[in-house]
Amino acid sequence: MKAFLAAPHVEALPFTTPFVGPEQLMREAGLVSLLRLGANESAFGPSPKAIEAMAAELPHLWCYGDPESYALRAELALRHGRAIGEIGVGAGIDDLMGLAVRAFLAPGESALATRGTYPTFGYHVAGYGGKLATVDYTSDGFVDVDALITAAHRLRPAILYVANPDNPSGSVLPAGEIERLCEALPERTLLFLDEAYAEFAENERAFADIDSPQVLRARTFSKVYGMAGARIGYVITAERNVRTLQKICLQYGVNRNAQVGALAALGDDAFKRRVVAEVAAGRADYYALARSLGRAYLQSHTNFVCIDFESAERATLAVSDLLRRGVFVRKPGAPPLDRFIRVSVGMPDQRRDFARQLAATAEALPS
Ligand SMILES: *Cc1c(COP(=O)(O)O)cnc(C)c1O
């Protein structure tokens, strides 16, 4: 049968997704259980208050959610010291990123990011007919602000993407570096500042509260709040940008239960502080594990740690050997980080299981 073709920019895309989900990995490997440490989900789960609020809301799922997410935006605005109009809610950062690309980048225009950073940005750029240009990380795995500024002045991209703290490196840029980047932005470039892990960084207060219509900061309930499956996140930006995203967003794209759960999660600061402390302890466990195996690691400001396997080939072998042992981790895709494996902080017993399996994998790899 003759194929029926999509639009040219969609036809040009490969039939692959940026992420192969752990469920698919399990089906393919014939596993019935998996130590799930590959997607930086929070094994500490949602706050009990959020669970209670969502459970109580279930009978009302016959109602659409508030398309304005008004109650949640009001609370977020209060917490960030912004006006409610400067907060936009979406079905996670991935959704908001797609909306931003669709809204601010015309087909054929270019976007700029670090090679090997969080891949969903490039996925949306390709999906909406844009072109992605990249610069490399510095040799020690930091986002290279100078290189981004130079490339931005050469390319004048519609959007510049920076994750801070970054995934997969786990590194963070100090507020001064973000300010320098903002000041150097070409006039028509929007900075999409992905702060999915901001709550884990030691000094969250140091995050520059940038007040520029050219900057869109994105936060999520998927990481520290442990609600990845609920799909909810938000942006902080100029009111006009929020309204622009609202022009094209799916009217009822943010589900009602997620709105209720997110609002309740914000009300449980003690739980969030415990998760942040537990994650710091988990990072320390992974650092100690790496040292005990004679391996280098990257200092992380997130809920994951990168452990060095000397080469991309060996890191790839380690990831598949771990999967055979029922452990799901991922690895960065581009140099200089592709020699590392990336493991999420789990509960203490999961960390112990991981330590055992990683030691076995390190032993099993050809020398
Ligand atoms: C996990 C992650 C996201 C995804 O956030 P959602 O709100 O679940 O869509 C976005 N950006 C980075 C850098 C991440 O690591």
Side-chain angles (χ1 to χ4, degrees):
M1 213 196 309
K2 199 158 164 277
F4 187 75
L5 298 186
H9 70 276
V10 176
E11 273 305 321
L13 301 175
F15 279 101
T16 54
T17 52
F19 302 115
V20 178
E23 291 80 6
Q24 186 182 343
L25 293 174
M26 281 173 74
R27 283 191 295 274
E28 286 171 1
L31 296 166
V32 290
S33 72
L34 196 64
L35 181 55
R36 193 169 166 128
L37 299 174
N40 304 337
E41 296 153 326
S42 180
F44 307 99
S47 143
K49 289 187 180 162
I51 293 174
E52 199 184 318
M54 289 189 281
E57 189 62 23
L58 279 178
H60 301 119
L61 276 188
W62 63 275
C63 301
Y64 289 112
D66 173 9
E68 292 284 314
S69 293
Y70 193 88
L72 177 60
R73 285 167 65 218
E75 181 61 24
L76 287 166
L78 202 65
R79 283 172 178 262
H80 287 285
R82 305 294 286 256
I84 186 167
E86 296 173 304
I87 309 285
V89 168
I93 294 180
D94 287 3
D95 174 35
L96 292 157
M97 204 183 275
L99 289 174
V101 171
R102 201 172 135 206
F104 293 99
L105 176 142
E109 286 187 335
S110 67
L112 177 64
T114 299
R115 180 159 73 116
T117 190
Y118 187 67
T120 306
F121 179 68
Y123 166 81
H124 284 309
V125 169
Y128 288 115
K131 291 179 298 219
L132 183 70
T134 59
V135 305
D136 284 348
Y137 284 107
T138 64
S139 57
D140 45 2
F142 281 83
V143 170
D144 192 334
V145 175
D146 289 320
L148 285 174
I149 291 174
T150 306
H153 280 271
R154 188 162 37 83
L155 295 165
R156 317 232 156 231
I159 308 180
L160 165 57
Y161 172 84
V162 173
N164 193 47
D166 177 64
N167 177 9
S169 68
S171 61
V172 70
L173 291 171
E177 284 291 274
I178 296 291
E179 271 161 30
R180 187 161 75 86
L181 187 60
C182 292
E183 276 158 25
L185 284 178
E187 205 181 332
R188 279 216 54 254
T189 299
L190 177 84
L191 174 63
F192 191 101
L193 197 52
D194 181 342
E195 299 182 336
Y197 300 97
E199 296 88 353
F200 295 109
E202 274 81 41
N203 189 1
E204 198 195 334
R205 282 188 312 279
F207 275 75
D209 203 6
I210 307 135
D211 204 10
S212 158
Q214 261 182 286
V215 181
L216 198 150
R217 294 163 65 208
R219 299 276 182 114
T220 182
F221 287 90
S222 298
K223 303 288 157 66
V224 78
Y225 295 103
M227 292 174 52
R231 309 306 306 129
I232 187 159
Y234 60 101
V235 291
I236 311 167
T237 186
E239 182 160 356
R240 192 178 195 282
N241 295 340
V242 173
R243 298 224 317 272
T244 297
L245 299 184
Q246 283 172 341
K247 287 204 277 190
I248 55 167
C249 75
L250 192 60
Q251 181 80 349
Y252 299 116
V254 181
N255 88 68
R256 182 182 181 92
N257 221 255
Q259 289 176 17
V260 167
L263 185 57
L266 287 177
D268 196 351
D269 271 326
F271 177 83
K272 177 174 148 187
R273 278 196 301 275
R274 276 202 302 282
V275 172
V276 169
E278 185 64 40
V279 166
R283 286 194 304 257
D285 281 357
Y286 287 160
Y287 298 160
L289 170 65
R291 281 194 298 269
S292 78
L293 297 172
R295 298 191 171 275
Y297 56 88
L298 298 177
Q299 199 75 34
S300 166
H301 301 267
T302 64
N303 68 347
F304 59 82
V305 170
C306 283
I307 300 177
D308 195 349
F309 272 82
E310 298 103 26
S311 70
E313 293 69 32
R314 290 175 65 81
T316 302
L317 285 176
V319 169
S320 33
D321 191 76
L322 282 165
L323 185 61
R324 267 196 298 280
R325 295 171 197 279
V327 181
F328 163 53
V329 299
R330 285 204 172 108
K331 69 176 285 302
L337 300 176
D338 54 351
R339 49 189 281 179
F340 291 84
I341 67 164
R342 189 198 69 187
V343 57
S344 314
V345 170
M347 309 277 273
D349 59 327
Q350 296 177 315
R351 292 178 338 233
R352 277 192 294 276
D353 285 351
F354 175 72
R356 220 174 12 250
Q357 302 298 352
L358 188 71
T361 288
E363 189 82 8
L365 287 190
S367 46

